[in-house]
Each structure stands twice: as C-alpha cells, then as structure tokens.
Amino acid sequence: GAGVSQSPSNKVTEKGKDVELRCDPISGHTALYWYRQSLGQGLEFLIYFQGNSAPDKSGLPSDRFSAERTGGSVSTLTIQRTQQEDSAVYLCASSLGVGFYGYTFGSGTRLTVV
Amino acid sequence: GQQLNQSPQSMFIQEGEDVSMNCTSSSIFNTWLWYKQDPGEGPVLLIALYKAGELTSNGRLTAQFGITRKDSFLNISASIPSDVGIYFCAGLQSIIQGAQKLVFGQGTRLTINP
C-alpha cells in the first residue's frame, strides 16, 4: 500500500481480555517496528522484525506481549490478559531494510483497557 | 529505558514567535532526527542530522547536531498555526545484524495561541 496501515484505529477492551493489533507495512519494506506511546510520553521501542524474524524483541514489557510477522508483510501484536497499564497508542513503522532508510509510521491503534 | 531528555515538555506561544527546543542524552548517537506528530497520526520525519556540529535547515526549521554527539536542538521561526503538534527528538541506535532502531525523547507539545 501507499502507507503503513494499522487496524483497528481504536480498541476498547475489558481488563483480562486478549487483543490483537495489526500492521500492514509499505509493500517491499522488510524492516518493521512496533512502538508504544503512553499518555504524555515518548515512543517506547517494543520489537523489530527483519523479514519474518525478530532479532530484537528487547522492548516487550512482559511475557503477555508477543508479536509475529508472516510472509514478510503483515505483523500482529498480541497482548494477553490486558491490564489497565497497557492502555496506550501502539504505533507500527516500516523501513526499506537493514540500516536506516527512514521510517514511515502508521497512525497507530489507541488501546483503552477498562 | 528512555535515554533522551527533551525540553521543554510543553510550549504555549503566539503565532509568529520563534520556537526552540532541545534534546540531551547520556549516550552518543551518530544520527539525530526530529519528528512531528499531529493529533491521531504517527510521527513524520522533519530533519535528519548525520554529522557532529552539522546545522541543517528545512524551510522555517533549523536543527543542529551537537559537537559531543549527545545533544541537538530544533528551532522553528515565525510559527504558524499548522506548527501545532508534538515534536520528538530521536537518536539512531545500532542493534543487531546491522539493524538500527530509534530511541525517542519524551516530546515537546507546541500550542499556538490565537
């Protein structure tokens, strides 16, 4: 696609439920990143994909968070047993490849856990 | 954790005024970037700085990469209403397999009073 697409744009879920957030990167972009933006905070790195593998998942805050990428394209970030502190905007970015070619960010998914 | 300290956290200015914000780090970064985030959108790259001491302009924006490679500033001259948003500094950090990730500051929220 022309840009990075994320869905849903907004998600309200009850505490304890699982959620899946989706990212469609720009076609041909092999690098994909997930970031989390909490209210009034900067962007916190979560995980990096190169192709379908995740060489750096050091930013995932707990084992309730996981992510996968299939076909070198779409990525899904899953949060199990959501907690209120998981409420944030989850941003996905893609890049042409290894090294820095400039990130393109999606508009994010705003997750609210009630 | 967060490695970049950005200030001020918020600014309230009159249209036409100049704006200055800065970012410092305890670590050296070889590339500094400045992003702008509009409400409900992902961050968009404004300026990238690649050499220590470099001064780069993009229209009304001017950014400098500090000599020590541990700081950067962004200036906006003659602010206009569309400058409203959150500005982030970011440093490019090497991870593994030749890849890099962005480490972000906390952001500066710019509000322009009518």
Side-chain angles (χ1 to χ4, degrees):
Chain A
V4 178
S5 177
Q6 291 188 247
S7 60
S9 55
N10 279 284
K11 176 72 176 179
V12 180
T13 189
E14 291 181 354
K15 179 181 171 182
K17 295 281 179 69
D18 297 352
V19 294
E20 283 190 355
L21 312 180
R22 177 186 167 107
C23 173
D24 266 293
I26 292 174
S27 178
H29 279 196
T30 61
L32 186 148
Y33 306 80
W34 283 98
Y35 283 81
R36 179 169 71 173
Q37 184 177 19
S38 301
L39 187 63
Q41 299 296 312
L43 281 71
E44 174 190 5
F45 170 80
L46 298 178
I47 188 169
Y48 154 66
F49 284 94
Q50 180 58 40
N52 291 337
S53 64
D56 188 347
K57 51 180 80 171
S58 61
L60 294 178
S62 75
D63 58 9
R64 296 187 295 105
F65 287 72
S66 63
E68 66 174 13
R69 189 177 184 196
T70 55
S73 180
V74 172
S75 176
T76 303
L77 177 69
T78 301
I79 309 173
Q80 295 178 308
R81 305 181 302 281
T82 52
Q83 303 294 313
Q84 288 185 327
E85 62 263 27
D86 298 335
S87 297
V89 175
Y90 290 82
L91 289 159
C92 173
S94 70
S95 177
L96 196 54
V98 173
F100 181 68
Y101 296 93
Y103 290 17
T104 302
F105 280 88
S107 298
T109 294
R110 180 175 296 278
L111 175 66
T112 304
V113 182
V114 298
Chain B
Q2 200 67 266
Q3 297 178 46
L4 301 186
N5 293 308
Q6 188 172 345
S7 65
Q9 290 187 14
S10 60
M11 301 184 73
F12 299 84
I13 62 167
Q14 300 290 331
E15 183 177 349
E17 288 185 10
D18 296 344
V19 172
S20 184
M21 60 192 78
N22 67 78
C23 205
T24 60
S25 170
S26 57
S27 306
I28 287 175
F29 289 98
N30 290 316
T31 301
W32 282 80
L33 305 106
W34 286 91
Y35 283 82
K36 183 192 177 205
Q37 184 180 32
D38 290 328
E41 301 293 330
V44 173
L45 181 64
L46 297 175
I47 286 182
L49 302 158
Y50 301 104
K51 284 178 58 176
E54 178 181 3
L55 184 72
T56 297
S57 293
N58 179 6
R60 294 179 297 106
L61 307 179
T62 302
Q64 183 153 33
F65 190 162
I67 287 289
T68 64
R69 292 185 285 160
K70 290 184 176 182
D71 63 293
S72 178
F73 72 73
L74 175 71
N75 288 342
I76 306 172
S77 63
S79 59
I80 60 177
S82 60
D83 291 335
V84 166
I86 304 176
Y87 292 79
F88 291 100
C89 62
L92 200 57
Q93 183 178 70
S94 293
I95 42 181
I96 63 174
Q97 299 177 4
Q100 295 167 308
K101 68 182 180 187
L102 289 176
V103 178
F104 284 85
Q106 303 96 324
T108 295
R109 182 179 295 273
L110 179 63
T111 303
I112 297 179
N113 297 321

